[in-house]
Amino acid sequence: MSASPLTGKRIVLGVTGGIAAYKAIELSRRLVDAGAHVVPIMTDAAQHFVGATTLGALASEPVQTELWNNPTTPIPHTKVGQGADLIIVAPATAKSIAAYRMGYSHDLLQNTLIATRAPVIVCPAMHTEMWEHPSVVDNIATLRKRGVHIVEPESGRLAGGDMGAGRLADPATILGAAERILGPADLTGVRVVVSAGGTREPIDAVRVIANRSSGKQGYAVAAEAAARGAQVTLVSTVGLPTPAGVQVIAVETAAEMQEAMERAAIDHDVIVMAAAVADFRPAHAASGKIKKRDGVPEIVLQPTPDILAGLGANKRDDHVLVGFAAETANLVDNAQGKLERKRLDLIVANDVSAPGVGFAHDTNAVTLLRPGAKPVEIDLATKRDVARAVIDAVVDIRNAR
Ligand code: PMT
C-alpha cells in the first residue's frame, strides 16, 4: 500500500484573522494525521480569534508569529517559505489576499508567501458582500492566473447569522486539494465513478428497507481517486461532505442507483461499486402511510437488479470494473465467486463480522482479489488507507494493459 502523499511533507499553514480561524485547528490536526509536518504561522489578527497555544498544540511545532526577534531563526522571512513543500492559507481574509496579490510583505506570512517556490493554496473566508466585491474578485483572478490554487468558500451560515457564499471550505476539502497537488497524479485524465452508501427501498410514504452502510468507504475511494488526478463522479445515497474535486449524484433506491451507474459507465473508465445495494425491495410501495390500526402488514418482496452484474455483462475492454464483497463467512471463496460471475477486474472483500471492519466504522480490513493473481490482504487500516490500496490496484491494472 502506498503512503499518503502528505507523509513527510513540510506544509506551512498560514492563519489570518477571520472567525473561521478555529477551523484551521481541525485542518492542522488532519494534516498531521495524514503524516505531514505542519509549520503554523499566525497573523496578529488571527490571534484575536484563536490562541497560538491551541494551534501549536495540534501542529508539528510552535506557532510562529514574528518577523522580528523570531526565536526559531534569525531570517524567518525566507527560511520558512524556502523549506516548504506546500503553503496553505486558511482562512484567507480579503486583506491578506490583497497583500499577497501585491507582494506587500509586511508580516511573516506575507514574506513567506513571496519567498517560496512551493505551491500555494489560498482558502478565502469572508462575508458574501466582500467575497463578491470587484476588488476581491479581481485579486482572486490574478492569483489564479499566477498558478495559486484557490479552494473556494462554501455557501452557508456566516458569522452574525447571515447566509450566503463565503464560509471557509470544509477542512476535508482543503486536505483533498493538498493531496491532489502533492499526490502522484497517476489517474490524471481518467474518469472514475464510485457508488457509496446503502440504498433505501420504500415500504410506504415514511418507511424504508435500508442497511448499515454509512458511505464512508465509497467516499474514501472517491477522495483518493480525485487526489490522484481523476475526474470523479460519486453516486451516493448519503450526505457526507463532498471530497475536493468530486461531483455527487444523489440517489436513494437500487433502481435510481442502477440508472445513474449505467449512464456513468458510458463515459467513465473506472467503475467502483462500494455501495451496499438492497437485494430485495417491497413489490409494491404504499403511496400513503400504512396505519398501525390496520394491523401488521404483509410485505411482499421482489429482487432488485444486480447493478454490478449488469455492468459486468456490458463491460467495455477499456473499463476497469471493481466490486466489493460484504461477507460474514468464507470470505475469499464467496468473493472469488462474485469476481468471476460479475466479470470484475478486482473485488474488495471485507469480513463485516470482524471488529472494526465494514459497515459504519472508520476502519476496514480487506482482501483484494484479481483474476489469476494471488489475494492481497490489507490489515485493519483507515478507510482512506484501504481506498489507497484499491486505487493502487486500479492503476496497476490500467498500467498492465
Ligand atoms: O459504507 P460503509 O459504512 O463505509 O461500509 C462499507 C461497506 C461495508 C458497505 C463496503 O466495504 C462494502 O462491502 N460494500 C459492498 C456491500 C455489498 O452490497 O456487498 P455484496 O457482497 O452484497 O455485493 C457484491 C457487489 O455487488 C457489491 O459491489 C455491490 O455494490 C454489488 N451489488 C449488490 C447487490 C445488487 N443488487 N447490486 C449490486 O450492484
Side-chain angles (χ1 to χ4, degrees):
M1 178 168 48
S2 57
S4 159
L6 304 188
T7 303
K9 291 289 191 294
R10 204 172 169 83
I11 299 183
V12 174
L13 176 59
V15 183
T16 72
I19 191 78
Y22 76 94
K23 286 194 193 168
I25 292 163
E26 167 69 4
L27 175 62
S28 180
R29 189 187 65 76
R30 284 180 178 235
L31 291 166
V32 169
D33 283 354
H37 180 97
V38 176
V39 181
I41 296 181
M42 292 175 84
T43 63
D44 288 347
Q47 293 168 71
H48 289 291
F49 293 92
V50 288
T53 313
T54 314
L55 178 61
L58 290 163
S60 308
E61 52 182 68
V63 170
Q64 298 189 49
T65 56
E66 301 303 323
L67 193 51
W68 308 106
N69 302 322
N70 185 309
T72 338
T73 164
I75 45 165
H77 69 294
T78 54
K79 195 96 186 125
V80 183
Q82 284 170 345
D85 294 302
L86 174 70
I87 300 181
I88 303 175
V89 185
T93 57
K95 179 180 162 187
S96 66
I97 290 166
Y100 184 29
R101 186 240 169 114
M102 288 192 303
Y104 182 61
S105 49
H106 63 293
D107 64 8
L108 179 59
L109 178 59
Q110 293 299 335
N111 271 278
T112 301
L113 283 168
I114 60 167
T116 192
R117 297 197 199 289
V120 175
I121 301 177
V122 166
C123 311
M126 60 197 76
H127 262 70
T128 311
E129 295 83 346
M130 298 169 79
W131 174 238
E132 292 175 353
H133 192 276
S135 62
V136 175
V137 171
D138 192 45
N139 289 339
I140 290 287
T142 302
L143 291 181
R144 259 195 230 279
K145 258 189 253 154
R146 290 179 191 159
V148 173
H149 304 266
I150 308 292
V151 176
E152 294 213 355
E154 297 168 354
S155 286
R157 196 159 180 273
L158 305 168
D162 294 343
M163 295 292 289
R167 198 169 68 171
L168 181 69
D170 192 87
T173 306
I174 301 171
L175 187 88
E179 287 168 336
R180 208 175 168 101
I181 292 164
L182 295 176
D186 47 8
L187 284 181
T188 302
V190 178
R191 302 200 64 185
V192 177
V193 59
V194 183
S195 68
T199 59
R200 286 186 294 274
E201 309 299 329
I203 295 170
D204 65 9
V206 297
R207 302 178 181 94
V208 293
I209 293 178
N211 63 62
R212 297 177 199 279
S213 171
S214 63
K216 288 179 189 172
Q217 185 62 78
Y219 272 66
V221 172
E224 178 63 20
R228 291 165 74 155
Q231 271 176 273
V232 182
T233 307
L234 186 54
V235 175
S236 169
T237 65
V238 297
L240 295 177
T242 304
V246 171
Q247 195 207 343
V248 175
I249 298 175
V251 296
E252 184 162 341
T253 62
E256 288 169 10
M257 184 170 280
Q258 180 185 30
E259 195 192 332
M261 292 303 289
E262 286 180 354
R263 189 176 305 216
I266 296 168
D267 60 0
H268 286 67
D269 312 294
V270 178
I271 303 166
V272 183
M273 279 293 297
V277 185
D279 287 316
F280 308 101
R281 66 182 166 211
H284 302 287
S287 55
K289 183 180 176 190
I290 298 172
K291 298 304 287 178
K292 199 161 70 174
R293 64 166 179 260
D294 296 336
V296 178
E298 221 169 74
I299 299 169
V300 178
L301 299 177
Q302 64 176 197
T304 55
D306 190 319
I307 303 170
L308 189 57
L311 293 168
N314 295 304
K315 190 169 78 159
R316 286 199 316 253
D317 287 349
D318 60 331
H319 270 151
V320 176
L321 186 57
V322 182
F324 274 67
E327 308 294 343
T328 53
N330 303 326
L331 180 71
V332 171
D333 286 351
N334 286 342
Q336 183 69 33
K338 289 175 185 173
L339 178 79
E340 288 163 19
R341 277 197 307 280
K342 302 193 187 197
R343 298 187 62 228
L344 309 179
D345 300 294
L346 171 68
I347 194 153
V348 184
N350 38 197
D351 176 353
V352 294
S353 64
V357 174
F359 293 99
H361 299 289
D362 291 328
T363 50
N364 208 355
V366 300
T367 304
L368 304 183
L369 299 173
R370 282 162 63 174
K374 276 206 330 212
V376 175
E377 286 189 22
I378 309 293
D379 293 339
L380 197 67
T382 65
K383 283 187 169 164
R384 185 55 186 266
D385 286 339
V386 168
R388 193 168 303 116
V390 171
I391 295 298
D392 284 349
V394 166
V395 170
D396 198 46
I397 291 165
R398 286 176 54 84
N399 288 345
R401 283 185 177 164

